[in-house]
């Protein structure tokens, strides 16, 4: 006879879960800092978890457990379900391409997803497209969530939102590398997703997939956060709703941190700093006013765990501040 015939959920054996988490982390060769980065939490949170502290929030505990496979994956969270649909849609699109097509982003990619939490204006797909265009801030020539107007690249509206794929092989494209093959989607209830390949893996690079630029993540993260702040302001004119912003980097394993986009900055990196882990998952909960008022603090908090993947490299606030000031000097609205 089954021990639990009615399927009654048993009490959690928390000490055993903690012990198993630590065991699996060691088996995978992760440090506490690396584990924290993958979970999108601070290292002190992982230390507290290891000590059996039950005062940390459930969401952070689940994130820590999830890294080592101790949480059954499901899409009960609406944002996770949205992201899962977006990634599957991207897989369907690139599945029709040749194996060596740059738009497949075979060496890795990064993705942004964010949601505006709280009462927001429900938009029709066509109105959403207008708001998305107004939310673009141009620091560079290829901003995230860029809304092209050419018919063969223009976003497509459906009943739940707007979708755009810049890797479409049937479109006339000036650039066909992974970094210019964005896929993005926005929903009418304030959820957004973007996926893009790395500039470091372009056709003019001798060995794609071998290095990771030190300054480009700062630029891209700030562009994404700026978009989120403008989008939140336009869709929630009353109050300051929470913005939950996440970044995922894939294909990091074996890459060396390098000063590629700005060769004059080679002094920022002494020695070899290599990523031993394949991915990084980062997250921050913030608001439009905080993004506008403390951009350096927000970007530094978000990206610090990413750089720690590279043999513990420490991302200095001074570097973040310098790059954001540089970006602001070039800003022009879309």
């Amino acid at each position: 006879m089954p021990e639990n015939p009615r399927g009654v959920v048993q009490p959690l054996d928390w000490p055993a879960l903690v012990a198993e988490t630590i065991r699996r982390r060691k088996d995978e060769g992760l440090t506490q800092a690396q584990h924290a980065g993958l979970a999108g939490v601070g290292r002190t949170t992982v230390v507290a978890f290891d000590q059996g502290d039950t005062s940390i929030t459930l969401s952070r505990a689940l994130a820590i457990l999830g890294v080592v496979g101790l949480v059954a994956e499901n899409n009960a969270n609406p944002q996770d379900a949205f992201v899962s649909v977006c990634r599957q849609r991207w897989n369907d699109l690139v599945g029709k391409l040749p194996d060596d097509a740059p738009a497949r982003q075979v060496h890795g990619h990064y993705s942004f997803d964010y949601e505006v939490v709280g009462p927001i204006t429900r938009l029709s797909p066509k109105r959403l497209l207008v708001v998305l265009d107004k939310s673009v801030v141009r620091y560079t020539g290829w901003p995230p969530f860029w809304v092209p107007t050419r018919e063969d690249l223009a976003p497509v509206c459906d009943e739940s939102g707007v979708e755009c794929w810049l890797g479409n092989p049937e479109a006339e494209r000036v650039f066909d590398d992974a970094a210019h093959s964005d896929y993005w989607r926005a929903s009418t209830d304030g959820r957004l997703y973007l996926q893009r390949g790395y500039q470091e893996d372009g056709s003019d690079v001798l060995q794609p997939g071998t290095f990771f630029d030190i300054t480009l993540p700062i630029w891209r993260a700030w562009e994404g956060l700026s978009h989120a702040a403008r989008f939140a302001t336009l869709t929630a004119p009353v109050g300051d709703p929470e913005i939950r912003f996440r970044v995922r980097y894939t294909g990091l394993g074996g890459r060396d941190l390098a000063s590629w986009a700005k060769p004059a900055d080679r002094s920022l990196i002494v020695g070899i700093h290599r990523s031993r882990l394949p991915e990084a998952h980062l997250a921050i909960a913030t608001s439009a006013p905080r993004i506008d008022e403390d951009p350096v603090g927000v970007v530094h908090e978000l990206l610090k765990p990413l750089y720690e993947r590279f043999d513990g490299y420490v991302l200095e606030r001074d570097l973040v501040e310098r790059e954001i000031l540089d970006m602001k000097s070039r800003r022009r609205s879309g």
Side-chain angles (χ1 to χ4, degrees), residues 107-160:
H107 298 289
H109 61 256
Y110 64 93
S111 63
F112 297 148
D113 75 85
Y114 73 81
E115 60 178 322
V116 181
V117 183
I120 67 170
T121 303
R122 185 85 181 198
L123 304 171
S124 68
K126 288 186 178 180
R127 179 59 186 166
L128 173 61
L129 186 57
V130 173
V131 171
L132 287 167
D133 194 31
K134 289 183 177 179
S135 299
V136 173
V137 181
R138 292 185 180 276
Y139 296 112
T140 61
W142 200 267
F145 301 104
W146 170 55
V147 180
T149 56
R150 262 186 27 212
E151 185 176 353
D152 57 349
L153 289 175
V156 176
C157 295
D158 58 36
E159 61 182 11
S160 63

Side-chain angles (χ1 to χ4, degrees), residues 62-311:
L62 290 174
I64 293 169
L65 292 165
V67 169
V68 292
L70 286 173
V71 175
E73 188 171 341
N74 64 70
N75 291 320
N77 180 296
Q79 183 69 8
D80 289 342
F82 169 74
V83 170
S84 179
V85 168
C86 291
R87 289 176 179 160
Q88 184 56 54
R89 173 62 173 154
W90 178 82
N91 281 325
D92 292 343
L93 289 169
V94 301
K96 305 170 185 177
L97 301 177
D99 291 344
D100 60 350
R104 281 183 172 273
Q105 303 167 359
V106 294
H107 298 289
H109 61 256
Y110 64 93
S111 63
F112 297 148
D113 75 85
Y114 73 81
E115 60 178 322
V116 181
V117 183
I120 67 170
T121 303
R122 185 85 181 198
L123 304 171
S124 68
K126 288 186 178 180
R127 179 59 186 166
L128 173 61
L129 186 57
V130 173
V131 171
L132 287 167
D133 194 31
K134 289 183 177 179
S135 299
V136 173
V137 181
R138 292 185 180 276
Y139 296 112
T140 61
W142 200 267
F145 301 104
W146 170 55
V147 180
T149 56
R150 262 186 27 212
E151 185 176 353
D152 57 349
L153 289 175
V156 176
C157 295
D158 58 36
E159 61 182 11
S160 63
V162 182
E163 176 182 271
C164 185
W165 184 39
L166 301 181
N168 184 356
E170 297 178 4
E172 183 179 346
R173 302 164 61 208
V174 176
F175 305 104
D176 63 357
D177 59 316
H180 295 87
S181 62
D182 299 15
Y183 169 80
W184 62 255
R185 181 168 183 85
S187 72
T188 55
D189 57 352
R191 306 181 191 283
L192 287 88
Y193 176 84
L194 175 139
Q195 182 173 314
R196 178 185 290 181
Y198 298 120
Q199 284 180 250
E200 298 94 316
D201 298 335
S203 59
D204 58 340
V205 176
L206 293 178
Q207 292 182 292
T210 60
F211 63 92
F212 189 79
D213 187 71
I214 192 171
T215 56
L216 286 176
I218 299 171
W219 283 66
R220 302 304 168 235
W222 175 233
E223 286 176 325
L225 286 161
S226 294
H227 188 279
R230 286 170 66 90
F231 183 82
T233 300
L234 290 169
T235 56
V238 178
D240 297 320
E242 182 180 58
I243 298 169
R244 296 175 184 171
F245 189 95
R246 302 187 296 191
V247 190
R248 175 178 179 240
Y249 294 87
T250 72
L252 295 180
R255 289 181 185 257
D256 293 333
L257 200 61
S259 185
W260 172 72
K262 294 186 175 181
D265 287 345
R266 296 188 189 281
S267 61
L268 293 172
I269 306 170
V270 178
I272 296 175
H273 292 268
R274 180 167 297 168
S275 174
R276 314 294 173 177
L277 297 171
E279 296 192 5
H281 299 238
L282 316 173
I284 191 169
T286 184
S287 65
R290 188 188 170 203
I291 292 171
D292 291 338
E293 296 165 10
D294 183 26
V296 175
V298 174
V299 173
H300 184 261
E301 179 182 342
L302 176 67
L303 292 183
K304 190 171 180 288
L306 168 65
Y307 286 79
E308 290 173 349
R309 293 289 188 291
F310 294 85
D311 288 331

Side-chain angles (χ1 to χ4, degrees), residues 19-75:
E20 178 63 10
T21 299
I22 295 172
R23 184 191 70 78
R24 293 191 182 195
R25 180 200 303 145
K26 290 180 178 178
D27 286 349
E28 294 183 20
L30 298 177
T31 66
Q32 285 180 321
Q34 291 168 336
H35 194 159
L38 286 171
V41 302
R43 181 178 176 277
T44 55
T45 301
V46 172
V47 172
F49 177 91
D50 287 359
Q51 295 172 347
D53 186 347
T54 57
S55 67
I56 64 175
T57 65
L58 178 60
S59 62
R60 291 180 178 179
L62 290 174
I64 293 169
L65 292 165
V67 169
V68 292
L70 286 173
V71 175
E73 188 171 341
N74 64 70
N75 291 320

